[in-house]
Amino acid sequence: MPVKNRLAELHQEITAWRRQIHANPELQYDLPKTTALVEAQLKAFGCDEVVTGIGRSGIVGVIRGKTDTAGACVGLRADMDALPMTEETGLDYASATEGKMHACGHDGHTAMLLGAAKYLAETRNFDGTVCVIFQPAEEGGAGGKAMVDDGMMDRFGIREVYGMHNEPGLPVGEFGVSPGPIMAAADEFEVRIVGRGGHAAQPHNTIDPSPAACASVMALQTVASRNVDPLKQIVVSVCTIKTSSEAHNVIPNSVLLRGTVRTLDEDIRDMAEVRVIEILQSTAAAYGCKAEITYHRGYPVTVNHEENAIIAAEIAEAVAGKGRVHYGRPPRMGAEDFSYMLRARPGAFINVGNGETARVHHPEYNFNDDAIPYGCSFFAELVERRMPAA
Protein backbone atom coordinates (compact mmCIF):
# COMPACT_ATOMS: atom_id res chain seq x y z
CA MET A 1 0.00 0.00 0.00
CA PRO A 2 1.88 3.16 -1.16
CA VAL A 3 1.01 6.76 -0.30
CA LYS A 4 -2.75 6.99 0.08
CA ASN A 5 -4.48 8.70 -2.85
CA ARG A 6 -6.62 10.90 -0.61
CA LEU A 7 -3.56 12.16 1.25
CA ALA A 8 -1.82 12.87 -2.07
CA GLU A 9 -4.88 14.95 -2.99
CA LEU A 10 -4.59 16.84 0.32
CA HIS A 11 -0.87 17.55 -0.15
CA GLN A 12 -1.32 21.19 -1.21
CA GLU A 13 -3.73 21.93 1.64
CA ILE A 14 -1.45 20.32 4.23
CA THR A 15 1.52 22.24 2.82
CA ALA A 16 -0.42 25.49 3.29
CA TRP A 17 -0.99 24.65 6.98
CA ARG A 18 2.67 23.82 7.37
CA ARG A 19 3.81 27.09 5.87
CA GLN A 20 1.37 29.10 7.94
CA ILE A 21 2.77 27.49 11.08
CA HIS A 22 6.31 28.03 9.83
CA ALA A 23 5.73 31.76 9.33
CA ASN A 24 4.37 32.11 12.86
CA PRO A 25 6.79 30.24 15.14
CA GLU A 26 6.09 30.12 18.87
CA LEU A 27 8.11 28.80 21.78
CA GLN A 28 7.57 26.11 24.40
CA TYR A 29 4.12 26.42 26.01
CA ASP A 30 3.24 29.87 24.61
CA LEU A 31 1.59 28.73 21.36
CA PRO A 32 -1.63 30.74 20.87
CA LYS A 33 -1.50 30.97 17.05
CA THR A 34 -0.41 27.38 16.55
CA THR A 35 -2.95 25.88 18.94
CA ALA A 36 -5.73 28.05 17.49
CA LEU A 37 -4.97 26.68 14.02
CA VAL A 38 -4.81 23.08 15.25
CA GLU A 39 -8.00 23.37 17.29
CA ALA A 40 -9.92 24.99 14.44
CA GLN A 41 -8.85 22.35 11.93
CA LEU A 42 -9.66 19.43 14.22
CA LYS A 43 -13.14 20.81 14.82
CA ALA A 44 -13.61 21.40 11.10
CA PHE A 45 -12.64 17.77 10.41
CA GLY A 46 -15.45 16.63 12.69
CA CYS A 47 -13.37 15.06 15.45
CA ASP A 48 -15.58 13.54 18.13
CA GLU A 49 -13.76 15.51 20.83
CA VAL A 50 -11.19 18.28 20.78
CA VAL A 51 -9.70 18.78 24.23
CA THR A 52 -7.36 21.70 24.90
CA GLY A 53 -5.14 22.60 27.83
CA ILE A 54 -3.63 19.14 28.32
CA GLY A 55 -0.18 19.69 29.79
CA ARG A 56 -0.84 23.44 29.84
CA SER A 57 -1.23 24.03 26.09
CA GLY A 58 -1.41 20.60 24.49
CA ILE A 59 -4.37 19.43 22.40
CA VAL A 60 -5.89 15.98 21.97
CA GLY A 61 -8.30 15.24 19.14
CA VAL A 62 -10.43 12.10 19.50
CA ILE A 63 -11.56 10.25 16.35
CA ARG A 64 -13.74 7.18 16.75
CA GLY A 65 -13.85 4.45 14.13
CA LYS A 66 -16.93 2.98 12.52
CA THR A 67 -16.89 0.32 15.23
CA ASP A 68 -15.26 -0.25 18.61
CA THR A 69 -15.45 -3.92 19.48
CA ALA A 70 -12.30 -4.19 21.64
CA GLY A 71 -11.79 -0.73 23.14
CA ALA A 72 -8.49 -0.24 21.35
CA CYS A 73 -6.97 3.24 21.31
CA VAL A 74 -3.83 4.41 19.49
CA GLY A 75 -2.15 7.73 20.21
CA LEU A 76 -0.32 9.64 17.45
CA ARG A 77 1.90 12.52 18.57
CA ALA A 78 3.33 15.64 16.93
CA ASP A 79 5.27 18.47 18.56
CA MET A 80 4.31 22.10 17.87
CA ASP A 81 6.98 24.45 19.25
CA ALA A 82 9.82 26.29 17.51
CA LEU A 83 13.33 27.32 18.57
CA PRO A 84 14.73 30.67 19.80
CA MET A 85 16.77 31.23 16.61
CA THR A 86 16.84 33.72 13.76
CA GLU A 87 15.89 32.21 10.41
CA GLU A 88 18.21 32.62 7.41
CA THR A 89 16.32 30.76 4.67
CA GLY A 90 15.00 33.74 2.67
CA LEU A 91 11.74 31.86 2.05
CA ASP A 92 8.55 33.68 1.14
CA TYR A 93 6.98 32.14 4.21
CA ALA A 94 9.98 32.59 6.51
CA SER A 95 9.48 33.42 10.17
CA ALA A 96 7.72 36.72 10.70
CA THR A 97 9.05 36.90 14.25
CA GLU A 98 12.66 37.87 14.85
CA GLY A 99 14.49 35.39 17.07
CA LYS A 100 12.01 32.55 16.60
CA MET A 101 12.22 29.85 13.95
CA HIS A 102 10.89 26.40 13.10
CA ALA A 103 14.39 24.98 12.78
CA CYS A 104 13.54 21.40 13.78
CA GLY A 105 10.53 20.65 11.57
CA HIS A 106 7.83 20.68 14.20
CA ASP A 107 5.75 22.70 11.74
CA GLY A 108 5.93 19.72 9.39
CA HIS A 109 5.17 17.21 12.15
CA THR A 110 2.06 19.15 13.17
CA ALA A 111 0.88 19.53 9.58
CA MET A 112 1.38 15.83 8.80
CA LEU A 113 -0.62 14.78 11.84
CA LEU A 114 -3.36 17.24 10.91
CA GLY A 115 -3.45 15.68 7.43
CA ALA A 116 -3.72 12.19 8.88
CA ALA A 117 -6.45 13.39 11.26
CA LYS A 118 -8.48 14.81 8.37
CA TYR A 119 -8.21 11.54 6.45
CA LEU A 120 -9.10 9.41 9.49
CA ALA A 121 -12.06 11.62 10.39
CA GLU A 122 -13.36 11.32 6.82
CA THR A 123 -12.91 7.56 6.42
CA ARG A 124 -13.12 6.13 9.96
CA ASN A 125 -12.10 2.80 8.46
CA PHE A 126 -10.93 1.30 11.72
CA ASP A 127 -12.23 -0.44 14.82
CA GLY A 128 -11.44 1.60 17.91
CA THR A 129 -10.31 5.14 18.73
CA VAL A 130 -7.48 7.37 17.59
CA CYS A 131 -6.10 10.21 19.73
CA VAL A 132 -4.10 12.75 17.76
CA ILE A 133 -1.77 14.42 20.26
CA PHE A 134 -0.39 17.89 19.60
CA GLN A 135 2.32 18.53 22.16
CA PRO A 136 3.90 21.80 23.32
CA ALA A 137 7.41 22.45 24.59
CA GLU A 138 9.49 19.63 23.16
CA GLU A 139 12.43 22.00 22.85
CA GLY A 140 13.59 21.97 26.45
CA GLY A 141 10.26 22.39 28.21
CA ALA A 142 9.31 18.71 28.70
CA GLY A 143 5.86 19.14 27.22
CA GLY A 144 5.60 15.39 26.74
CA LYS A 145 6.05 14.88 30.45
CA ALA A 146 3.51 17.62 31.19
CA MET A 147 0.87 15.88 29.07
CA VAL A 148 1.57 12.48 30.64
CA ASP A 149 1.55 13.97 34.15
CA ASP A 150 -1.79 15.60 33.31
CA GLY A 151 -3.28 12.10 33.04
CA MET A 152 -3.59 12.03 29.25
CA MET A 153 -2.96 8.31 28.80
CA ASP A 154 -5.57 7.18 31.32
CA ARG A 155 -8.06 9.94 30.53
CA PHE A 156 -8.30 8.94 26.86
CA GLY A 157 -7.57 5.23 27.30
CA ILE A 158 -4.49 5.30 25.09
CA ARG A 159 -2.96 1.82 24.86
CA GLU A 160 0.00 2.48 22.56
CA VAL A 161 1.59 5.61 21.17
CA TYR A 162 3.68 6.56 18.13
CA GLY A 163 5.64 9.65 17.15
CA MET A 164 7.56 10.80 14.10
CA HIS A 165 10.48 13.13 13.37
CA ASN A 166 11.91 14.27 10.07
CA GLU A 167 15.53 13.36 9.30
CA PRO A 168 17.71 15.49 7.01
CA GLY A 169 20.10 13.31 5.03
CA LEU A 170 17.59 10.46 4.77
CA PRO A 171 16.01 10.51 1.28
CA VAL A 172 12.41 11.63 0.97
CA GLY A 173 10.14 8.59 0.90
CA GLU A 174 12.36 6.55 3.22
CA PHE A 175 12.01 5.77 6.92
CA GLY A 176 14.29 4.80 9.78
CA VAL A 177 13.29 2.94 12.95
CA SER A 178 15.04 0.78 15.54
CA PRO A 179 14.08 -1.19 18.67
CA GLY A 180 15.50 -0.37 22.08
CA PRO A 181 17.34 2.81 23.04
CA ILE A 182 17.30 5.17 20.05
CA MET A 183 18.05 8.58 21.59
CA ALA A 184 20.02 9.62 24.63
CA ALA A 185 19.20 10.99 28.04
CA ALA A 186 20.27 14.64 28.14
CA ASP A 187 21.50 16.05 31.44
CA GLU A 188 23.03 19.47 32.08
CA PHE A 189 25.59 20.82 34.48
CA GLU A 190 26.70 24.30 35.42
CA VAL A 191 29.68 25.10 37.61
CA ARG A 192 31.04 28.40 38.80
CA ILE A 193 34.69 27.97 39.73
CA VAL A 194 35.43 30.69 42.27
CA GLY A 195 38.90 31.95 43.08
CA ARG A 196 40.17 35.42 43.93
CA GLY A 197 40.65 37.91 41.14
CA GLY A 198 43.21 40.64 40.79
CA HIS A 199 45.76 42.33 38.54
CA ALA A 200 47.22 40.20 35.76
CA ALA A 201 50.70 41.47 36.66
CA GLN A 202 50.35 40.12 40.20
CA PRO A 203 49.08 36.53 39.88
CA HIS A 204 50.75 35.60 43.18
CA ASN A 205 48.20 37.82 44.94
CA THR A 206 45.27 36.00 43.33
CA ILE A 207 43.75 32.54 43.14
CA ASP A 208 43.31 32.25 39.40
CA PRO A 209 40.20 30.20 38.48
CA SER A 210 41.10 30.00 34.79
CA PRO A 211 43.68 27.19 35.10
CA ALA A 212 41.20 25.31 37.29
CA ALA A 213 38.52 25.75 34.63
CA CYS A 214 40.84 24.59 31.83
CA ALA A 215 41.94 21.58 33.85
CA SER A 216 38.30 20.76 34.62
CA VAL A 217 37.37 20.75 30.93
CA MET A 218 40.15 18.30 30.18
CA ALA A 219 39.52 16.14 33.25
CA LEU A 220 35.84 15.74 32.37
CA GLN A 221 36.85 13.91 29.20
CA THR A 222 38.07 11.03 31.37
CA VAL A 223 34.47 10.22 32.30
CA ALA A 224 34.05 8.77 28.80
CA SER A 225 37.60 7.55 28.24
CA ARG A 226 38.33 6.00 31.65
CA ASN A 227 35.05 5.38 33.48
CA VAL A 228 32.81 3.86 30.79
CA ASP A 229 33.12 0.59 28.91
CA PRO A 230 34.45 1.52 25.43
CA LEU A 231 31.56 -0.41 23.89
CA LYS A 232 29.03 1.81 25.67
CA GLN A 233 28.10 5.32 24.57
CA ILE A 234 28.43 8.59 26.47
CA VAL A 235 29.12 12.18 25.48
CA VAL A 236 30.38 14.80 27.96
CA SER A 237 30.65 18.25 26.39
CA VAL A 238 31.56 21.60 27.94
CA CYS A 239 29.78 24.14 25.75
CA THR A 240 30.19 27.43 27.63
CA ILE A 241 33.32 28.93 29.19
CA LYS A 242 32.88 32.46 30.50
CA THR A 243 35.04 34.45 32.90
CA SER A 244 33.66 37.10 35.21
CA SER A 245 35.98 39.65 33.58
CA GLU A 246 36.48 40.54 29.93
CA ALA A 247 39.49 42.79 30.49
CA HIS A 248 42.86 41.71 29.08
CA ASN A 249 44.71 42.62 32.27
CA VAL A 250 42.38 41.27 34.97
CA ILE A 251 42.53 37.81 36.48
CA PRO A 252 38.83 36.97 36.95
CA ASN A 253 37.22 36.18 40.24
CA SER A 254 35.31 33.23 38.74
CA VAL A 255 34.80 31.17 35.61
CA LEU A 256 31.45 29.72 34.52
CA LEU A 257 31.29 26.37 32.73
CA ARG A 258 28.15 24.87 31.26
CA GLY A 259 27.85 21.49 29.62
CA THR A 260 25.81 18.43 28.81
CA VAL A 261 26.05 14.70 29.52
CA ARG A 262 24.41 12.28 27.08
CA THR A 263 23.92 8.59 27.93
CA LEU A 264 21.90 5.58 26.76
CA ASP A 265 22.01 3.54 29.95
CA GLU A 266 20.58 4.47 33.37
CA ASP A 267 23.50 2.96 35.30
CA ILE A 268 25.99 4.95 33.24
CA ARG A 269 23.81 8.02 33.67
CA ASP A 270 23.99 7.63 37.46
CA MET A 271 27.73 7.04 37.40
CA ALA A 272 28.36 10.03 35.10
CA GLU A 273 26.52 12.41 37.43
CA VAL A 274 28.65 11.28 40.38
CA ARG A 275 31.92 11.49 38.45
CA VAL A 276 31.22 14.89 36.89
CA ILE A 277 30.52 16.38 40.31
CA GLU A 278 33.57 14.69 41.89
CA ILE A 279 35.88 15.85 39.10
CA LEU A 280 34.66 19.43 39.21
CA GLN A 281 34.94 19.65 42.99
CA SER A 282 38.35 18.01 43.28
CA THR A 283 39.92 19.81 40.32
CA ALA A 284 38.79 23.19 41.62
CA ALA A 285 40.14 22.33 45.07
CA ALA A 286 43.49 21.29 43.60
CA TYR A 287 43.90 24.85 42.31
CA GLY A 288 42.75 26.45 45.55
CA CYS A 289 39.30 27.28 44.17
CA LYS A 290 35.75 26.37 45.09
CA ALA A 291 33.24 24.75 42.70
CA GLU A 292 29.57 25.78 42.93
CA ILE A 293 27.80 23.06 40.96
CA THR A 294 24.27 22.60 39.65
CA TYR A 295 23.44 19.29 37.96
CA HIS A 296 20.06 18.92 36.23
CA ARG A 297 18.61 15.69 34.87
CA GLY A 298 16.77 16.33 31.60
CA TYR A 299 14.93 14.06 29.20
CA PRO A 300 15.40 10.32 29.82
CA VAL A 301 16.56 7.80 27.22
CA THR A 302 14.06 7.32 24.38
CA VAL A 303 13.41 3.57 24.18
CA ASN A 304 11.33 2.01 21.41
CA HIS A 305 9.41 -1.09 22.44
CA GLU A 306 10.64 -3.93 20.24
CA GLU A 307 7.23 -5.22 19.13
CA ASN A 308 6.05 -1.73 18.24
CA ALA A 309 9.27 -0.90 16.38
CA ILE A 310 8.76 -4.00 14.25
CA ILE A 311 5.16 -2.96 13.59
CA ALA A 312 6.28 0.55 12.64
CA ALA A 313 8.89 -0.84 10.24
CA GLU A 314 6.33 -3.08 8.54
CA ILE A 315 3.90 -0.22 8.09
CA ALA A 316 6.63 2.10 6.84
CA GLU A 317 7.60 -0.52 4.26
CA ALA A 318 3.97 -0.79 3.17
CA VAL A 319 4.00 2.97 2.52
CA ALA A 320 7.52 3.42 1.14
CA GLY A 321 8.22 0.07 -0.52
CA LYS A 322 10.82 -2.64 0.05
CA GLY A 323 14.36 -1.52 0.71
CA ARG A 324 13.28 1.97 1.79
CA VAL A 325 13.05 1.35 5.52
CA HIS A 326 16.28 1.40 7.55
CA TYR A 327 15.74 -0.90 10.51
CA GLY A 328 18.08 -1.39 13.46
CA ARG A 329 20.24 1.70 13.04
CA PRO A 330 22.62 2.80 15.82
CA PRO A 331 21.12 5.16 18.40
CA ARG A 332 21.65 8.92 18.23
CA MET A 333 22.94 11.04 21.11
CA GLY A 334 20.33 13.76 20.69
CA ALA A 335 17.38 13.78 23.11
CA GLU A 336 13.62 13.72 22.67
CA ASP A 337 10.82 14.16 25.20
CA PHE A 338 8.63 11.60 23.44
CA SER A 339 10.64 9.41 25.82
CA TYR A 340 8.12 10.24 28.57
CA MET A 341 5.22 8.94 26.48
CA LEU A 342 7.13 5.76 25.67
CA ARG A 343 7.72 5.27 29.40
CA ALA A 344 3.98 5.52 29.96
CA ARG A 345 2.83 3.29 27.10
CA PRO A 346 4.29 0.86 24.54
CA GLY A 347 5.07 2.44 21.20
CA ALA A 348 7.73 3.61 18.81
CA PHE A 349 9.37 6.73 17.41
CA ILE A 350 10.16 6.72 13.69
CA ASN A 351 12.09 8.98 11.34
CA VAL A 352 10.84 10.11 7.93
CA GLY A 353 13.26 11.30 5.26
CA ASN A 354 13.67 15.05 4.73
CA GLY A 355 16.17 14.76 1.87
CA GLU A 356 19.43 16.64 1.46
CA THR A 357 18.55 19.72 3.47
CA ALA A 358 20.29 21.73 6.15
CA ARG A 359 20.42 19.85 9.44
CA VAL A 360 17.93 20.54 12.21
CA HIS A 361 18.70 23.46 14.55
CA HIS A 362 20.45 25.25 11.67
CA PRO A 363 19.31 28.76 10.59
CA GLU A 364 18.92 27.58 6.98
CA TYR A 365 16.90 24.46 7.81
CA ASN A 366 13.45 23.99 6.30
CA PHE A 367 11.05 21.07 6.48
CA ASN A 368 10.70 19.38 3.09
CA ASP A 369 7.06 19.47 1.99
CA ASP A 370 7.68 16.51 -0.33
CA ALA A 371 7.81 14.34 2.83
CA ILE A 372 4.23 15.20 3.80
CA PRO A 373 2.35 12.41 1.93
CA TYR A 374 4.70 9.78 3.37
CA GLY A 375 4.33 10.93 6.97
CA CYS A 376 0.57 11.28 6.71
CA SER A 377 0.21 7.89 5.04
CA PHE A 378 2.31 6.22 7.72
CA PHE A 379 0.04 7.53 10.48
CA ALA A 380 -3.14 6.60 8.59
CA GLU A 381 -1.89 3.14 7.62
CA LEU A 382 -0.76 2.51 11.20
CA VAL A 383 -4.26 3.13 12.53
CA GLU A 384 -5.96 1.01 9.89
CA ARG A 385 -3.58 -1.91 10.42
CA ARG A 386 -3.44 -1.78 14.22
CA MET A 387 -7.22 -1.51 14.49
CA PRO A 388 -8.59 -3.13 11.32
CA ALA A 389 -12.25 -2.43 10.56
CA ALA A 390 -14.55 -5.04 12.05
Side-chain angles (χ1 to χ4, degrees), residues 89-100:
T89 62
L91 295 166
D92 292 341
Y93 53 87
S95 170
T97 306
E98 182 71 19
K100 297 180 183 179

Side-chain angles (χ1 to χ4, degrees), residues 75 148 153 158-163 176-183 300-314 327-328 338-350 378 382 386:
V148 170
M153 297 300 185
I158 297 169
R159 295 189 178 182
E160 55 190 76
V161 65
Y162 297 85
V177 63
S178 300
I182 60 164
M183 297 184 76
V301 180
T302 303
V303 181
N304 276 347
H305 298 252
E306 184 172 4
E307 178 183 350
N308 302 89
I310 293 170
I311 290 165
E314 292 172 348
Y327 185 79
F338 189 62
S339 53
Y340 293 106
M341 295 191 188
L342 288 175
R343 283 188 161 196
R345 291 293 186 273
F349 195 60
I350 189 167
F378 172 83
L382 171 66
R386 291 301 287 155

Side-chain angles (χ1 to χ4, degrees), residues 130-144:
V130 177
C131 287
V132 286
I133 302 164
F134 295 88
Q135 181 209 302
E138 192 282 324
E139 298 290 357

